[in-house]
Amino acid sequence: DELAGLEEYASYCRAFRDGVGKDYSDLHQLGCVRRAGSDRQGNPLYIIAPGSLLADSDLARVRRYALQLLAEHAREGSPFSVLFLQNNVNPEARQVGLYFVYETYRMLPRALKRNLRMLGVVHPTNFVRSALLVLSPFLADSFWDKLNLVERLDFADAIIGGDPGRLESLEIPLAYFDWDRELEQRASEDADALRSGAMYHGGAGMGGVMGGAASMPGSAPPR
């Protein structure tokens, strides 16, 4: 019995039993939760991509599917890692709320949480950062040791390893790479704006010293 010894985790056991023997071929095809080879330490790696969900996807059913996939890791000594792709690419997808994520995490057996070696959140939004701050009193210290906020897919090597072609082998939808480029463009524009502002203010300050157009408050305007 896969649930032997896990009786104290009633919510987990109930959700797991409800998912046994069900047809998840549609979710498998969507790729919203899937095994994707190994992490950099050789442990099984799973990708969770809420952006692949349909607008009417049943989140409780998706959770049952995920628990079936992760069942082997609910026992001690079976480590794994997760790469969570923050959905910034598909506004039509079913949105996964903060409470749902927290509720799911709480129901997991202690062994499954301990077996989680690394959790990478790709393209974390300010909302995600704020949510983690709010939830921090309820999360174990060990959780923060496992958490990696991955600003760009190219920085995921801390989790997936840096072997050539490894990132491409994950078969992440192209929309996430497009979002990477969008973020790079925004960062470049912000940096240019900061440089321009610094040059402008620097020039204005120098003008005041060298007798240029700048004037002290209350003084007569330059002629």
Side-chain angles (χ1 to χ4, degrees):
D1 184 358
E2 292 186 84
L3 297 177
L6 300 176
E7 293 81 3
E8 64 180 295
Y9 305 102
S11 297
Y12 170 83
C13 291
R14 183 165 54 252
F16 186 89
R17 289 194 183 96
D18 289 345
V20 173
K22 301 296 174 58
D23 179 16
Y24 294 111
S25 56
D26 57 326
L27 297 180
H28 175 77
Q29 187 173 5
L30 289 175
C32 53
V33 185
R34 58 187 174 88
R35 172 77 183 270
S38 303
D39 65 16
R40 65 179 175 83
Q41 297 175 343
N43 302 315
L45 174 69
Y46 296 86
I47 289 180
I48 299 178
S52 299
L53 295 173
L54 302 178
D56 59 351
S57 292
D58 181 349
L59 293 183
R61 181 168 175 263
V62 174
R63 177 164 56 197
R64 291 193 292 269
Y65 173 53
L67 295 182
Q68 298 298 312
L69 291 180
L70 296 172
E72 65 179 283
H73 305 293
R75 303 293 179 187
E76 293 289 355
S78 183
F80 70 103
S81 292
V82 170
L83 198 63
F84 185 95
L85 305 180
Q86 178 73 27
N87 178 26
N88 301 305
V89 301
N90 182 12
E92 302 300 322
R94 177 68 187 272
Q95 297 300 306
V96 180
L98 174 63
Y99 180 75
F100 177 83
V101 174
Y102 177 62
E103 180 185 53
T104 300
Y105 183 78
R106 282 191 61 189
M107 73 163 54
L108 300 179
R110 187 173 295 107
L112 200 154
K113 294 177 183 177
R114 278 200 296 263
N115 283 332
L116 177 63
R117 291 296 184 264
M118 292 178 283
L119 170 60
V121 179
V122 178
H123 299 152
T125 61
N126 288 334
F127 173 78
V128 169
R129 298 175 190 277
S130 299
L132 288 170
L133 183 62
V134 170
L135 292 176
S136 58
F138 308 102
L139 299 172
D141 291 342
S142 59
F143 173 84
W144 303 104
D145 296 332
K146 303 172 183 182
L147 179 65
N148 288 271
L149 298 182
V150 183
E151 301 292 343
R152 305 287 189 275
L153 284 166
D154 285 341
F155 304 157
D157 54 357
I159 297 172
I160 66 175
D163 294 341
R166 178 66 180 113
L167 182 59
E168 291 74 13
S169 73
L170 298 180
E171 298 182 352
I172 295 173
L174 291 177
Y176 290 94
F177 292 93
D178 292 339
W179 185 246
D180 252 22
R181 287 188 284 273
E182 173 69 19
L183 292 175
E184 289 288 356
Q185 179 63 29
R186 292 184 185 183
S188 177
E189 292 173 355
D190 289 345
D192 288 343
L194 286 173
R195 282 194 294 269
S196 297
M199 291 177 63
Y200 172 79
H201 290 297
M206 185 63 70
V209 172
M210 300 300 291
S215 60
M216 294 295 292
S219 63
R223 297 182 182 276

